[in-house]
Amino acid sequence: MIRIITDSTCEASPEVLRHPAVTVIPLTVVFGHEALRDGVDITREQFWARLPSSSPLPSTSQAVPSDFDGLFEQFTAAGDEVIAVLISSKLSGTFSSAQIAYESKPGWPVEIIDSKTTSVGLGLMVQAAVAMVDRGATRDEIVQRLEELRERVHVVFVLETLEYLQRGGRIGKAQAFVGTLLQFKPLLGIVDGEVVPLSRVRSRTKALEAAQDELLRRVAMRGSNVAVAVTQALAAEEGGEFARRLAGAFGTTSCFVADLGPVLGVHVGPGTVGAAVVDLF
């Protein structure tokens, strides 16, 4: 069997995340001296209820090599092969932790892939990997496909504020927007694995329209060869409507909506709506 390992910043449909081939390694959110594993010790609902009253802002922690070492040992000892597809190495040290675990016993039938993305972008990649596992594809075939797809996954997101990205230290090139956004909503993207500024828009509605336009510009394909995904943080109605509009614009029925989780939520804050689109052709 081929096992797919990902991390808890991956947002995908419940069917994908609960698939027998999929294992999710939790990253950690830290409130003061309390370290809570994402999805294990704290749920999304508990996190979003707690965040507004948290001072100082919680921090996050990557997965460590031992998180991977035991799984690599367990799965390969059972005769399975492993593909770990993980959050961008420019956003987290989780990818490096997986590499360290692998290098402790080189020769394992294990492949480690830097997705160069996260959230629903990572979710679309895991979704594609699971579909290939179900079709009986080989490990090499799945790895090649994922390495192709990561160059065609496009992610944009609209934030209520840059405060969380700035305070959490993950703002990257979007630092250029700081100090100019009192009257604007930031539209950001993930390009080559890091957060980049795309535009400043005067209203929330216009920002979501700009996000859709940006994705339509980046992905020329239309129809069933396009997959769409949306994530939202305390913006379920808005996220659902955005997903319907986006799927309609691309002419695809392949679309899911996910709730943004704690580890990413620390850095982007409530009110975030993000989307990913991939050309599967």
Side-chain angles (χ1 to χ4, degrees):
M1 180 177 181
I2 296 176
R3 301 277 189 168
I4 306 298
I5 295 176
T6 191
D7 61 78
S8 62
T9 70
C10 173
E11 289 154 0
S13 68
E15 294 77 17
V16 166
L17 294 178
R18 294 171 187 162
H19 190 280
V22 174
T23 300
V24 178
I25 290 183
L27 275 61
T28 301
V29 59
V30 182
F31 287 89
H33 298 293
E34 189 178 12
L36 303 168
R37 291 169 296 169
D38 183 358
V40 178
D41 303 317
I42 188 168
T43 66
R44 281 158 165 73
E45 293 78 12
Q46 290 168 337
F47 168 77
W48 290 112
R50 185 170 177 177
L51 183 64
S53 61
S54 178
S55 182
L57 188 71
S59 61
T60 57
S61 178
Q62 67 196 46
V64 297
S66 60
D67 292 327
F68 293 96
D69 187 82
L71 287 175
F72 291 167
E73 181 75 49
Q74 174 189 339
F75 290 152
T76 58
D80 295 336
E81 299 175 87
V82 178
I83 301 170
V85 53
L86 304 166
I87 180 174
S88 169
S89 61
K90 293 181 179 179
L91 298 176
S92 170
T94 296
F95 173 77
S96 294
S97 291
Q99 286 185 309
I100 291 169
Y102 172 75
E103 289 166 2
S104 69
K105 290 186 179 177
W108 272 339
V110 173
E111 299 283 350
I112 304 167
I113 298 174
D114 180 351
S115 71
K116 298 185 180 181
T117 189
T118 188
S119 185
V120 283
L122 179 53
L124 288 176
M125 291 183 65
V126 172
Q127 178 175 277
V130 166
M132 292 188 74
V133 169
D134 286 342
R135 292 198 299 268
T138 66
R139 175 164 56 101
D140 287 345
E141 289 170 337
I142 297 172
V143 168
Q144 180 179 354
R145 178 64 166 158
L146 291 175
E147 290 176 342
E148 293 170 353
L149 285 180
R150 71 180 172 188
E151 306 304 324
R152 302 207 298 271
V153 173
H154 299 276
V155 176
V156 299
F157 48 105
V158 175
L159 274 60
E160 272 296 298
T161 173
L162 285 176
E163 174 190 1
Y164 291 89
L165 267 180
Q166 189 176 22
R167 289 169 63 189
R170 297 299 204 280
I171 196 165
K173 293 178 181 178
Q175 180 71 38
F177 277 176
V178 173
T180 67
L181 287 166
L182 291 178
Q183 303 298 323
F184 295 90
K185 297 297 180 186
L187 175 62
L188 307 177
I190 297 178
V191 176
D192 194 29
E194 64 181 328
V195 177
V196 299
L198 298 177
S199 64
R200 293 165 289 187
V201 188
R202 286 195 175 274
S203 73
R204 178 91 170 176
T205 298
K206 292 294 184 182
L208 289 170
E209 290 175 358
Q212 178 171 312
D213 290 345
E214 178 72 16
L215 290 170
L216 287 167
R217 182 187 66 79
R218 290 190 190 185
V219 181
M221 182 68 71
R222 302 289 183 267
S224 59
N225 281 324
V226 176
V228 172
V230 168
T231 187
Q232 57 79 30
L234 302 183
E237 184 174 344
E238 193 174 41
E241 176 57 30
F242 185 50
R244 287 188 288 273
R245 292 204 315 269
L246 204 55
F250 279 100
T252 183
T253 57
S254 178
C255 179
F256 66 84
V257 181
D259 298 331
L260 191 71
V263 169
L264 295 178
V266 166
H267 301 292
V268 297
T272 297
V273 174
V277 177
V278 63
D279 167 9
L280 297 168
F281 183 70

